[in-house]
């Protein structure tokens, strides 16, 4: 009851209520919020600090920009959700806020489209050289199965496609990418798909700033070939796996298209089965699946895509110990 009273005190002010409603729909900056609410930056910042101190919103940095979003987990999140759902959508102030939010999203979408257009030619050039993405996505879904996913971490999320593909399966999704411009595209895609249980962050794949052992599925899709030394990235990702969690790596098999190195910044020309498998094993993971997606006919001058899946065995070990199966 005391927690509920504290929450109600924190949101018991019109501007803070409006902020929470907006941040439940999208990750936004102070600049975005001042544009939507028409209030000064110091005023918005003060209200955001009060909400953050009350544990109702999250703040994360992306380069020079700070983004905010409402919390998605815990008792306070459930209470906020009930309050927001109980508000009338016909309220004139809230309707105006929604219209302004749509305008901010449209501006975000325009920036994303501009960057996509400038880089589409190079992306399409690479896509022409490997098996269709539809085959890769279908095999990925087959490998991970249909069981619910509590928390998903997509490293090198790019346009956020993995978060979009698996949206119906995970409870909480997070995408990480080093490129602010790619994250602009990802946010636009998540907005258009109405995906509010996932977000994206700028981050370093070698130095992740998340709580350890907090994700039960980690996907690294077409990222490793950009890294001169991918092993530390696998090591860092493994630290994020919860007991029994799974790591899925998708990348190219060895190939000889050397121009991808010079023209498209590929540091590695694919990986043998045993290389990625050994990286996973060195972090204590059991390699449960390796799948090759090869060109469908001999005339195809396409690259083979390989999918590796490793699993943290700690949950199984604990279960065996409890049942007496692991006793010597």
């Amino acid at each position: 009851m005391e927690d509920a009273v504290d929450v109600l005190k924190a949101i018991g002010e019109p501007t803070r209520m409006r902020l929470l409603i907006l941040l439940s729909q999208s990750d936004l900056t102070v600049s975005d919020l001042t544009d939507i609410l028409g209030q000064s930056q110091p005023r918005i910042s003060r209200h955001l600090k009060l909400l953050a101190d009350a544990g109702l919103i999250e703040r994360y940095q992306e380069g020079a920009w700070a983004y905010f979003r409402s919390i998605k987990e815990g008792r306070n999140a459930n209470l906020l959700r009930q309050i927001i759902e109980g508000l009338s959508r016909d309220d004139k102030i809230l309707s105006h806020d929604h219209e302004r939010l749509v305008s901010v999203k449209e501006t975000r979408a325009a920036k994303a489209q501009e960057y996509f257009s400038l880089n589409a030619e190079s992306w399409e050039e690479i896509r022409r050289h490997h098996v269709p993405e539809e085959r890769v996505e279908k095999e990925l879904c087959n490998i991970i199965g249909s069981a619910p996913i509590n928390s998903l971490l997509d490293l090198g999320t790019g346009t956020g496609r993995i978060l979009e593909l698996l949206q119906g399966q995970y409870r909480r999704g997070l995408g990480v990418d080093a490129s602010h411009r790619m994250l602009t595209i990802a946010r636009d895609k998540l907005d258009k798909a109405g995906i509010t249980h996932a977000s994206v962050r700028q981050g370093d794949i070698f130095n992740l700033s998340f709580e350890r052992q907090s994700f039960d599925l980690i996907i690294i899709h077409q990222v490793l070939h950009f890294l001169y030394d991918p092993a530390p990235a696998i090591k860092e990702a493994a630290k994020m796996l919860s007991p029994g969690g799974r790591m899925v790596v998708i990348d190219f098999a060895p190939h000889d298209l050397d121009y991808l190195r010079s023209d498209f910044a590929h540091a590695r020309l694919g990986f043998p089965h045993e290389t990625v498998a050994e990286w996973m094993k060195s972090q204590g993971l059991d390699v449960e699946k390796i799948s090759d997606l090869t060109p469908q006919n001999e005339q195809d001058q396409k690259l083979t895509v390989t999918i590796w899946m490793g699993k943290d065995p700690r949950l199984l070990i604990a279960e065996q110990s409890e049942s007496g199966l692991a006793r010597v």
Side-chain angles (χ1 to χ4, degrees), residues 136-161:
V136 177
E137 292 178 356
K138 182 178 180 181
E139 182 65 12
L140 170 63
C141 291
N142 287 337
I143 286 175
I144 65 176
S146 59
I149 300 164
N150 182 51
S151 51
L152 166 67
L153 178 61
D154 181 28
L155 295 176
T157 193
T159 63
R161 174 55 187 162

Side-chain angles (χ1 to χ4, degrees), residues 6 13 18 23 27 33-34 47 99 106 115 124 133 143 208 214 229-230 243 250 255 262 269 276 289 321:
D6 290 340
E13 195 278 338
R18 293 165 70 187
L23 295 175
D27 294 16
L33 293 166
T34 57
H47 285 302
E99 291 173 2
E106 287 175 349
Y115 181 71
E124 289 302 323
E133 204 64 39
I143 286 175
L208 298 171
S214 54
D229 185 12
I250 305 170
H255 62 84
S262 58
L269 299 182
V276 177
K289 180 77 173 180
S321 179

Side-chain angles (χ1 to χ4, degrees), residues 165-228:
L165 175 69
L166 302 176
Q167 61 177 294
Q169 214 168 329
Y170 59 80
R171 185 178 65 84
R172 175 175 68 98
L174 182 61
V176 174
D177 204 283
S179 169
H180 173 71
R181 289 184 172 180
M182 292 301 291
L183 293 175
T184 300
I185 296 175
R187 287 194 183 94
D188 176 50
K189 289 174 69 69
L190 294 176
D191 283 344
K192 288 180 177 176
I195 301 172
T196 60
H197 59 301
S199 64
V200 294
R201 310 278 176 89
Q202 189 173 42
D204 181 359
I205 195 172
F206 296 109
N207 186 22
L208 298 171
S209 58
F210 311 122
E211 184 179 350
R212 293 189 178 190
Q213 301 185 27
S214 54
F215 296 93
D216 55 359
L217 178 62
I218 297 176
I219 296 178
I220 310 175
H221 183 200
Q222 297 290 12
V223 174
L224 296 189
H225 62 254
F226 288 110
L227 309 177
Y228 285 98

Side-chain angles (χ1 to χ4, degrees), residues 93-139:
I93 294 176
L94 298 184
S95 295
H96 178 266
D97 287 350
H98 180 72
E99 291 173 2
R100 294 295 301 151
L101 175 61
V102 170
S103 177
V104 166
K105 288 183 177 182
E106 287 175 349
T107 301
R108 181 186 292 176
K111 291 180 180 179
Q113 185 57 46
E114 178 183 9
Y115 181 71
F116 183 86
S117 298
L118 290 173
N119 292 273
E121 184 176 348
S122 61
W123 291 342
E124 289 302 323
E125 173 68 18
I126 295 175
R127 286 195 184 109
R128 280 196 290 270
H129 286 289
H130 65 75
V131 296
E133 204 64 39
E134 293 79 6
R135 281 186 64 196
V136 177
E137 292 178 356
K138 182 178 180 181
E139 182 65 12

Side-chain angles (χ1 to χ4, degrees), residues 51-97:
L51 291 172
D53 290 345
L56 301 178
I57 63 173
E58 301 171 330
R59 179 189 186 277
Y60 62 92
Q61 198 74 23
E62 186 173 299
W65 297 96
Y67 281 84
F68 297 84
R69 75 190 314 251
S70 64
I71 58 171
K72 303 298 181 183
E73 300 179 19
R75 287 179 297 179
N76 288 349
N78 293 331
L79 179 58
L80 283 179
R81 195 174 301 114
Q82 293 177 46
I83 293 172
I84 291 172
E85 289 175 352
L87 295 173
S88 171
R89 295 303 172 186
D90 296 329
D91 183 276
K92 291 182 179 180
I93 294 176
L94 298 184
S95 295
H96 178 266
D97 287 350

